[in-house]
Amino acid sequence: MFEPLRKGVIGRALDKGILEFEAHDLRNYGLGRYRQLDDSPYGGGPGMIMRIEPVVNCVRDIQKQHREGRAIILSAAGKPFDQKKAEKLAKLDSIIMICGRYEGIDARVADVLDAEELSIGPYVLSGGELPAMVVIDTVTRLLPGVLGNADSLQDESHMTQLDAAELEYPQYTRPEEFEGHKVPEVLLSGNHGEILKWRKSQRKKKG
Ligand code: SAH
């Protein structure tokens, strides 16, 4: 499921050794003859819940190798993941992301592992793998040496050092005109002061 990480900017970060990534199969920590991972919820209700032991045992095994590995649970009910959070995570040595399936994970996992719960948005996916990749991608492009040109980070949407976390201004490239739609005149003027002013005026305020 994590193959998409091998492409593009994140793929190059892997090649350069700036990012290291391991996927661990919880099934290896399943319980009993059938390597069971899930069970029905206490109190009744539909669906299955991921059991605590396989998750905790797996994370603890990983933490033996990565002592500083902070555990994060991907959860639709978690705190919203945003650029500010990404900047904080980018400072950590390693993170362990726990991907749920079924109806989610036994709530005690968060307490036992002192794990933070993060949501990538107000909608429900069928598993935590895509959300984990969203976090990996967002965090990795903040790591030094990942984007070719350091400037390409500076101007971007949501960067928190910008005023009020503004969004990026509209960008254009060739041709100057397509089916009557023209590139704004000011961008062709060569007047850097005016271009800067125009771009500032075009930043959409968030919210
Ligand atoms: N019953 C849960 C949904 C479970 S979806 C609920 O109502 O909240 C199965 C798994 O997908 C979750 O355990 C979580 O790991 C992942 N997931 C789904 N939506 C997500 C989101 N918006 N953000 C992060 N993880 C999500």
Side-chain angles (χ1 to χ4, degrees):
M1 280 205 75
F2 292 93
E3 263 325 281
L5 292 177
R6 309 218 174 272
K7 304 272 183 225
V9 168
I10 310 306
R12 281 199 298 280
L14 282 167
D15 292 342
K16 288 198 232 166
I18 300 170
L19 171 71
E20 283 176 47
F21 168 79
E22 292 167 11
H24 296 259
D25 191 351
L26 279 172
R27 187 62 67 183
N28 298 332
Y29 296 83
L31 302 165
R33 198 144 71 92
Y34 299 106
R35 297 194 171 272
Q36 195 196 3
L37 290 175
D38 59 329
D39 213 330
S40 36
Y42 280 123
M48 301 294 269
I49 305 299
M50 281 172 70
R51 292 187 53 163
I52 188 167
E53 302 97 316
V55 180
V56 167
N57 291 339
C58 177
V59 169
R60 285 184 177 156
D61 259 4
I62 301 167
Q63 283 173 333
K64 281 180 198 148
Q65 260 118 60
H66 305 276
R67 287 191 185 285
E68 287 159 44
R70 163 104 64 87
I72 289 172
I73 298 169
L74 283 318
S75 161
K79 266 193 273 169
F81 173 69
D82 58 12
Q83 193 68 26
K84 198 167 175 177
K85 187 77 213 170
E87 287 171 19
K88 284 196 180 135
L89 294 179
K91 299 202 172 93
L92 299 180
D93 201 58
S94 48
I95 47 184
I96 300 167
M97 281 181 283
I98 304 170
C99 305
R101 280 268 152 184
Y102 320 114
E103 285 309 313
I105 306 170
D106 188 303
R108 291 167 295 180
V109 170
D111 301 329
V112 171
L113 294 174
D114 189 24
E116 185 173 18
E117 295 185 69
L118 291 182
S119 161
I120 62 153
Y123 37 76
V124 180
L125 294 105
S126 52
E129 295 85 357
L130 283 170
M133 279 190 272
V134 167
V135 174
I136 293 169
D137 186 302
T138 313
V139 170
T140 301
R141 57 202 303 292
L142 295 174
L143 301 178
V146 169
L147 296 186
N149 176 0
D151 286 341
S152 50
L153 264 180
Q154 234 137 65
D155 257 12
E156 276 183 320
S157 305
H158 301 295
M159 295 304 285
T160 47
Q161 64 265 39
L162 287 173
D163 284 351
E166 295 155 309
L167 302 180
E168 197 175 51
Y169 43 77
Q171 298 263 47
Y172 306 86
T173 187
R174 291 195 297 174
E176 270 182 43
E177 184 177 337
F178 180 77
E179 294 181 357
H181 297 259
K182 290 188 181 145
V183 170
E185 205 68 48
V186 58
L187 297 179
L188 312 172
S189 69
N191 182 334
H192 291 292
E194 283 304 310
I195 292 173
L196 224 69
K197 228 161 73 190
W198 181 84
R199 284 185 167 163
K200 217 170 160 188
S201 75
Q202 293 294 309
R203 282 191 183 283
K204 295 184 203 81
K205 294 282 180 203
K206 211 159 81 169

